[in-house]
Amino acid sequence: MGDFIGSICPVCEKKILPQEDIVVCPVCGAPYHRSCYQQAGHCLFIEQHAQGVSWEQRRTQQEQKFDGSAARRCPKCATVNPPEGLFCEICGYRLQEGEQSGEIPDPISPSAYTTPYGGLSPDEELSGIPVRELTLYIGENSFYFLPHFKAISRGARMSGWSWPAFLFRGFYYLYRKRYGMGILLLLLTAALGLPGLFYSLSFFSGSPPSAESLWRLSRLQMVSSFLSLALSAGCALFFNGGYFRHALHQIQKLRKRPDTDIWSPEYTLSLSKKGRTNRLLVILLIAGLFILSSLLSLYLSVSVW
């Protein structure tokens, strides 16, 4: 009897008090007020009897919902995360306090492309940094980067072809918070686009350019297009290696701080803040370039008329 004092009767949802007459389900062990059980006519958890779920298991799960020890399920990709997790181990989505589940759901089937570590052990070290910390720094798509990082740490000069870096160059570098290289690539891209811009503007000038000038601009435009393609290929070939070295440098800087405790939640937040991605900056840059190109087109159209 003493074990059930303070428990909630499933029928009336009131606490069981001392000296009250109770009935215990002989299958799952759930306690009821005798009158409540007689009113219901059977155990309310009869559907779970075949699954072997006991009242003790249900009570433990209910307590976990309130004490924060339940597993957290990501609302974005439905992955089960540890109770102490701050970010989803698969997609990097930030977990909120209310995103907990008393009943632990089935996780995504593990594979090199659905696990946060890309098939690596979280305790494995790459160039002195644990994979777990690299995962926190990378955030989303960590399962793609980590196998490449491992190959680079073992001596590979280049590992993988990065299509985002090939297609978006400086924007992708900025997206991954490599600001120095991102700005440099945007400047190079703008410089390589100048011959094409001058070639287009020559047709809107007051006096038509000579055939020789057009030929020179055309040749310069062809050379700049070839260099632009080579620049994209270089970004695609060397992005993973540069990103790995950049991540190592940033994590080592955080580790060297005198107040750093690598097992604390503050360190986890510092890694995620320092790393991961910067979508807002890229969106603002693209919007600014769109507005600038629209204004330039409007100016040229007005000049023609």
Side-chain angles (χ1 to χ4, degrees):
M1 172 66 184
D3 294 339
F4 302 111
I5 294 176
S7 301
I8 303 298
C9 174
V11 177
C12 65
E13 297 184 349
K14 295 181 179 179
K15 289 185 177 181
I16 296 176
L17 302 177
Q19 307 304 323
E20 285 188 316
D21 190 13
I22 68 168
V23 174
V24 177
C25 174
V27 179
C28 68
Y32 297 84
H33 294 113
R34 182 176 294 277
S35 58
C36 293
Y37 187 83
Q38 291 174 347
Q39 177 185 349
H42 57 79
C43 177
L44 297 187
F45 307 106
I46 193 171
E47 295 181 356
Q48 299 182 16
H49 288 176
Q51 303 174 7
V53 180
S54 67
W55 172 74
E56 286 289 344
Q57 291 174 321
R58 283 194 299 271
R59 184 175 68 170
T60 301
Q61 292 169 356
Q62 290 174 348
E63 291 173 351
Q64 286 177 337
K65 291 181 180 179
F66 298 99
D67 66 12
S69 61
R72 294 187 177 185
R73 187 170 192 171
C74 176
K76 186 176 181 181
C77 69
T79 299
V80 179
N81 293 271
E84 68 277 6
L86 299 175
F87 298 90
C88 177
E89 293 184 338
I90 296 294
C91 68
Y93 187 83
R94 180 161 185 170
L95 303 174
Q96 304 298 326
E97 289 297 328
E99 293 165 350
Q100 296 183 345
S101 174
E103 295 183 3
I104 301 177
D106 293 331
I108 295 174
S109 299
S111 71
Y113 296 98
T114 59
T115 58
Y117 310 115
L120 281 67
S121 168
D123 297 320
E124 182 178 352
E125 292 190 356
L126 302 181
S127 299
I129 300 298
V131 166
R132 181 183 290 104
E133 293 182 31
L134 284 167
T135 302
L136 289 169
Y137 182 87
I138 296 168
E140 57 191 45
N141 294 330
S142 59
F143 58 84
Y144 163 79
F145 286 107
L146 288 173
H148 294 297
F149 288 180
K150 183 173 183 178
I152 296 169
S153 68
R154 290 185 171 183
R157 294 186 178 181
M158 295 177 292
S159 178
W161 175 276
S162 175
W163 280 109
F166 178 82
L167 296 173
F168 304 108
R169 290 190 296 208
F171 290 107
Y172 188 61
Y173 276 75
L174 293 176
Y175 174 73
R176 281 290 170 182
K177 294 188 177 180
R178 296 191 60 193
Y179 298 123
M181 282 296 300
I183 294 173
L184 177 60
L185 287 170
L186 287 181
L187 292 176
L188 288 174
T189 301
L192 292 173
L194 288 177
L197 179 63
F198 290 149
Y199 183 81
S200 300
L201 291 176
S202 63
F203 293 98
F204 295 95
S205 60
S207 57
S210 62
E212 183 179 358
S213 298
L214 286 176
W215 181 83
R216 289 179 178 177
L217 283 175
S218 177
R219 297 285 292 181
L220 189 58
Q221 185 182 11
M222 290 177 60
V223 173
S224 65
S225 298
F226 174 79
L227 292 176
S228 180
L229 181 62
L231 182 63
S232 294
C235 291
L237 286 171
F238 295 101
F239 178 82
N240 290 336
Y243 186 42
F244 180 43
R245 290 187 292 272
H246 177 77
L248 291 177
H249 177 69
Q250 296 298 329
I251 295 174
Q252 287 167 353
K253 283 178 60 177
L254 288 174
R255 278 173 154 255
K256 289 179 180 178
R257 291 181 179 177
D259 57 340
T260 295
D261 178 8
I262 62 174
W263 301 108
S264 66
E266 290 77 13
Y267 180 66
T268 299
L269 290 172
S270 298
L271 280 175
S272 62
K273 184 178 180 180
K274 196 72 173 177
R276 298 185 179 263
T277 58
N278 192 338
R279 290 187 178 89
L280 180 59
L281 175 62
V282 175
I283 292 173
L284 292 176
L285 279 175
I286 293 175
L289 289 175
F290 176 77
I291 294 173
L292 183 62
S293 61
S294 300
L295 292 175
L296 181 60
S297 300
L298 179 63
Y299 171 77
L300 292 176
S301 62
V302 171
S303 300
V304 172
W305 291 101

